Amino acid sequence: MICLSLTAPTVAEAVEVAAANAELIGAVELRLDLLDGDLSAAVREFPRRCDRELSRRHGSALPRILTVRRATDGGEFSGSEAERLELLRTGIEAGYDYVDLEEDLHGSREGEALAKAAGATGTRVIRSYHDTEGVPAALPELVRRLSQREEEIPKLAVTPRGISDLRRLLSVAPKMRKSNGILVGMGTVGIPTRLLAPRIGSFLTFCSAGNKQAAPGHLDPETLVGLYRHDMLGATTRLFGVIGNPVMHSKSPHFHNRVFAERGLDALYVPFHVDDVDEFFKLAEELPIEGVSVTIPHKAAVISHLREVDESVTATGACNTVVRGAAGGWRGVNTDVSGFLTPLQAARSVKDAAVSVVGAGGAARAVVYALAGEAARICVLNRTAERARRLAEELSASHGFHNISSAALEPENEELLRRHSDIIVQTTSVGMAPHADEDPLHWYEFSGNELVYDIIYTPEITRLLARARKAGCKTVSGSEMFRGQADEQARLFCELVSSA
Ligand code: ATR
C-alpha cells in the first residue's frame, strides 16, 4: 500500500494534496511537525476535512496516520516533548486510524498511556524506529523489540550508507513481514526498499508529492504507480535493475519497466546505487536479482564476477549487461556494441566506410571494436594521441584488425579527419549537459556528406549534431544508441522471465 506523507504547511493545502493523489494511494500520513500555526487545532481539524474532501472528490475516505516527528528522528517538531505527547493524545481522540509512536516511548509512563488511549479508540499504533545516519548494528534485536506487541505495527526506517548496509536491512525483511511491519531504507541507497515494498512484504511504502520530501529518498505517487507499477507487484515479482554510482539519473528504469508492462510480465527494474560491486553480487543472490544493466563506474569491475563472458565483453574490457546464465552463474554481454551499430547500419552501410572516431576512452573502445568488425577503415582521434595509438594497437593485436589507425585530435589534423569522414563518431563527454555549448570538433567544417554520430544523449541534439544537420549531414543521436543497447538488454531480460 502506498502512503502519501503530507508535507504542506497548512491543513487546507495538505487536504488538497491528499485529494489530488487519492486515486494512486491507499493511506495518508499527516506530518503534523511540518505544519505551521496552531497544531492543536490542526490535529483535530485534519481528519474531518480530509474525510469530507476525499469522500466528495474520490468517493471514499482514506486511512489517516498521525505523525509528529522529532528532529532527532528526521522531523521538524520544535516544541517540548510534553507538547508533542499532548498533540498525539489529541490526535488519538480525534479518530486517526494510525498513530506513530517511537520505540523509546515504549515502556515509559506517558508512552504507555498513549498506547492505552489508542487501544480504547481503535487507533492502531505504528511503533517506529528512525536512524537518519546509518543502520544500527544490532538490527535483529531492534526488530524483536519493535515487534513485541502483536496489535502494533513495527516500523524500521534507517539509512543504508552502502550496499552492505542495504543487505543487512533486507535480511530482516522476512521478520518484518511476519509482523506485517514497515521496512524503509532512507536516502538514495535505500530507494530499492521503497520500490520493493510489496515484493519484500512491507505493509506500506511512504512517498511525498510536491516540492518537499517528507524523508530522504521519497518518490512521488505517480512515479511509484506509473513507472514502478506498485499496484501489480507481489512476492513472486522477478527483479532486474541498473547498478551505477550515481544512478538515479538513469533513463533505463523508464525503458525497461515500460517493456515489462507492455509485455504483461511480472517483473520490475530498480535503480541500485552501488558503492561496492562485490556486495552487490551477494545482494543479487539473496534477493534474488536476475539481470542488471551496468553503468559508470562499474563496467569493468563486474567482469571478475562473470562465469560466462561474451566476445563483446572480452574485446572491449567493459560489460554493460549481466544476466543469470544457463548454468546458474552470471553471464556478461556488452550490448553497447550492437546498440551502437544498429541505428548506424539503419542509416548507411559501414563496410569499407572511412570513419573517424573521436575519443579513445571506454566508450570509444566499444565503438572501434564494433566498426572494425564490420570492415570499416578507422582513424581514432584523441586529445591524448598516445591513448588513441594504444587503443588502435591493442584492438589490432587482439583481434587481427588491420583497419585501425590513430592521430591527435587537433586542428592540424583536419585533412586527416576529412579523409575519414564518411562517418564521424563522437565518443567523448565534450558537449554533454551541463556543458552543452561545447563542441569537440569546433574547428572542423562539415561538407554535408558526412554521417555524424554523437553518442551523448543529454542533450539529445548536441551542438556538434546541430551544426552537422545545418550543413546537411545525416545524423544519429546518442538516444538511438541508448535505444539500441536497451532493446538488446530487454530481449535478454524478457527471455529470462519468459523461460521460467
Ligand atoms: P568513457 O568511458 O566515457 O569513454 P573515459 O574512458 O574517461 O570515458 O574517456 C573519456 C574520453 O573523452 C577520452 O578520450 C578523453 O580524452 P583523453 O584521453 O585525452 O583524456 C576525452 N575527453 C574528455 N574531456 C575532453 C576534452 N575536454 N577535450 C577532448 N577530449 C576529452
Side-chain angles (χ1 to χ4, degrees):
M1 175 164 71
I2 295 178
C3 176
L4 179 62
S5 296
L6 300 170
T7 58
T10 66
V11 167
E13 287 168 84
V15 167
E16 177 53 36
V17 173
N21 289 281
E23 297 294 331
L24 299 171
I25 59 179
V28 291
E29 177 192 43
L30 179 68
R31 281 288 302 274
L32 197 68
D33 55 299
L34 303 181
L35 285 187
D36 294 337
D38 180 352
L39 298 186
S40 184
V43 76
R44 276 191 294 259
E45 187 189 348
F46 177 77
R48 266 186 283 120
R49 277 185 76 162
C50 190
D51 285 6
R52 200 174 55 220
E53 193 60 14
L54 260 57
S55 302
R56 191 174 72 77
R57 283 167 56 180
H58 172 60
S60 61
L62 287 173
R64 302 140 313 184
I65 300 174
L66 173 63
T67 299
V68 194
R69 191 74 68 227
R70 301 171 293 207
T72 46
D73 296 319
E76 295 183 12
F77 187 72
S78 56
S80 70
E81 184 62 359
E83 284 164 348
R84 195 176 77 94
L85 297 178
E86 182 55 25
L87 288 168
L88 289 166
R89 196 188 55 74
T90 309
I92 290 167
E93 284 166 5
Y96 284 77
D97 302 272
Y98 302 90
V99 64
D100 186 305
L101 300 183
E102 291 81 2
E103 192 266 343
D104 57 291
L105 293 178
H106 188 137
S108 76
R109 198 170 51 81
E110 299 86 346
E112 289 310 298
L114 284 177
K116 203 165 157 211
T121 59
T123 301
R124 277 193 82 182
V125 171
I126 297 176
R127 186 63 67 179
S128 69
Y129 178 90
H130 291 80
D131 187 335
T132 58
E133 302 284 318
V135 177
L139 215 45
E141 161 59 16
L142 180 56
V143 169
R144 198 190 57 71
R145 281 209 319 268
L146 289 171
S147 316
Q148 274 175 38
R149 293 184 179 156
E150 247 180 48
E151 69 278 16
E152 295 185 352
I153 297 169
K155 174 186 172 187
L156 183 60
V158 294
T159 308
R161 290 290 170 199
I163 291 293
S164 130
D165 281 350
L166 184 63
R167 280 185 62 214
R168 280 199 303 117
L169 179 55
L170 287 169
S171 75
V172 298
K175 284 233 159 57
M176 289 299 275
R177 173 167 38 202
K178 251 196 203 144
S179 37
N180 206 17
I182 303 166
L183 184 143
V184 177
M186 293 188 281
T188 307
V189 177
I191 279 178
T193 62
R194 301 190 184 279
L195 303 179
L196 296 176
R199 168 70 159 61
I200 60 178
S202 180
F203 172 56
L204 53 79
T205 189
F206 292 94
C207 63
S208 304
N211 292 335
K212 184 166 169 130
Q213 284 187 339
H218 269 200
L219 301 170
D220 59 80
E222 179 53 42
T223 302
L224 280 177
V225 176
L227 173 55
Y228 291 105
R229 296 151 74 219
H230 193 272
D231 294 347
M232 56 66 60
L233 304 183
T236 56
T237 300
R238 313 276 290 269
L239 293 186
F240 295 83
V242 52
I243 65 171
N245 185 357
V247 77
M248 291 313 294
H249 67 286
S250 170
K251 293 202 301 187
S252 296
H254 295 265
F255 184 90
H256 290 289
N257 283 317
R258 203 192 62 232
V259 171
F260 290 150
E262 281 170 4
R263 299 193 188 180
L265 298 175
D266 182 15
L268 180 72
Y269 185 98
V270 173
F272 290 93
H273 181 101
V274 170
D275 60 328
D276 181 331
V277 169
D278 292 354
E279 283 291 315
F280 175 76
F281 275 95
K282 289 180 195 158
L283 177 69
E285 296 294 343
E286 290 158 3
L287 265 176
I289 297 166
E290 297 180 60
V292 286
S293 312
V294 184
T295 186
I296 292 165
H298 301 314
K299 286 186 182 185
V302 296
I303 295 176
S304 62
H305 293 270
L306 305 174
R307 190 180 296 173
E308 297 168 59
V309 182
D310 193 80
E311 155 84 23
S312 57
V313 172
T314 328
T316 59
C319 172
N320 78 333
T321 314
V322 174
V323 287
R324 225 162 250 290
W330 297 104
R331 175 182 163 219
V333 180
N334 192 344
T335 70
D336 281 337
V337 174
S338 60
F340 164 74
L341 278 179
T342 306
L344 177 59
Q345 286 174 321
R348 66 155 287 161
S349 155
V350 176
K351 190 167 182 305
D352 295 329
V355 184
S356 285
V357 173
V358 177
R365 181 176 285 267
V367 163
V368 174
Y369 167 73
L371 289 166
E374 296 298 314
R377 282 184 296 117
I378 304 152
C379 182
V380 184
L381 295 134
N382 193 45
R383 178 177 60 181
T384 313
E386 168 60 17
R387 204 170 170 200
R389 191 182 61 77
R390 247 184 298 131
L391 185 134
E393 279 181 9
E394 280 168 19
L395 278 178
S396 301
S398 57
H399 288 77
F401 295 136
H402 299 291
N403 46 356
I404 314 173
S405 59
S406 70
L409 180 68
E410 56 191 22
E412 286 69 35
N413 281 330
E414 184 189 350
E415 204 30 56
L416 182 68
L417 175 55
R418 207 166 285 289
R419 274 189 272 122
H420 293 83
S421 65
D422 293 334
I423 301 171
I424 298 175
V425 186
Q426 196 304 111
T427 72
T428 76
S429 52
V430 182
M432 191 189 295
H435 303 293
D437 57 339
E438 292 177 2
D439 176 347
L441 292 180
H442 59 89
W443 41 266
Y444 179 84
E445 211 170 297
F446 293 105
S447 69
N449 296 322
E450 302 91 340
L451 183 146
V452 185
Y453 190 158
D454 196 333
I455 72 166
I456 289 174
Y457 61 73
T458 47
E460 164 125 26
I461 303 299
T462 57
R463 185 164 206 143
L464 177 78
L465 281 194
R467 203 161 58 79
R469 278 187 178 182
K470 205 164 167 205
C473 301
K474 272 192 185 173
T475 59
V476 180
S477 73
S479 303
E480 293 170 75
M481 173 166 170
F482 175 84
R483 173 76 204 242
Q485 62 81 29
D487 274 338
E488 178 63 9
Q489 289 185 336
R491 194 183 62 73
L492 293 164
F493 296 159
C494 291
E495 216 170 72
L496 277 172
V497 182
S498 308
S499 71

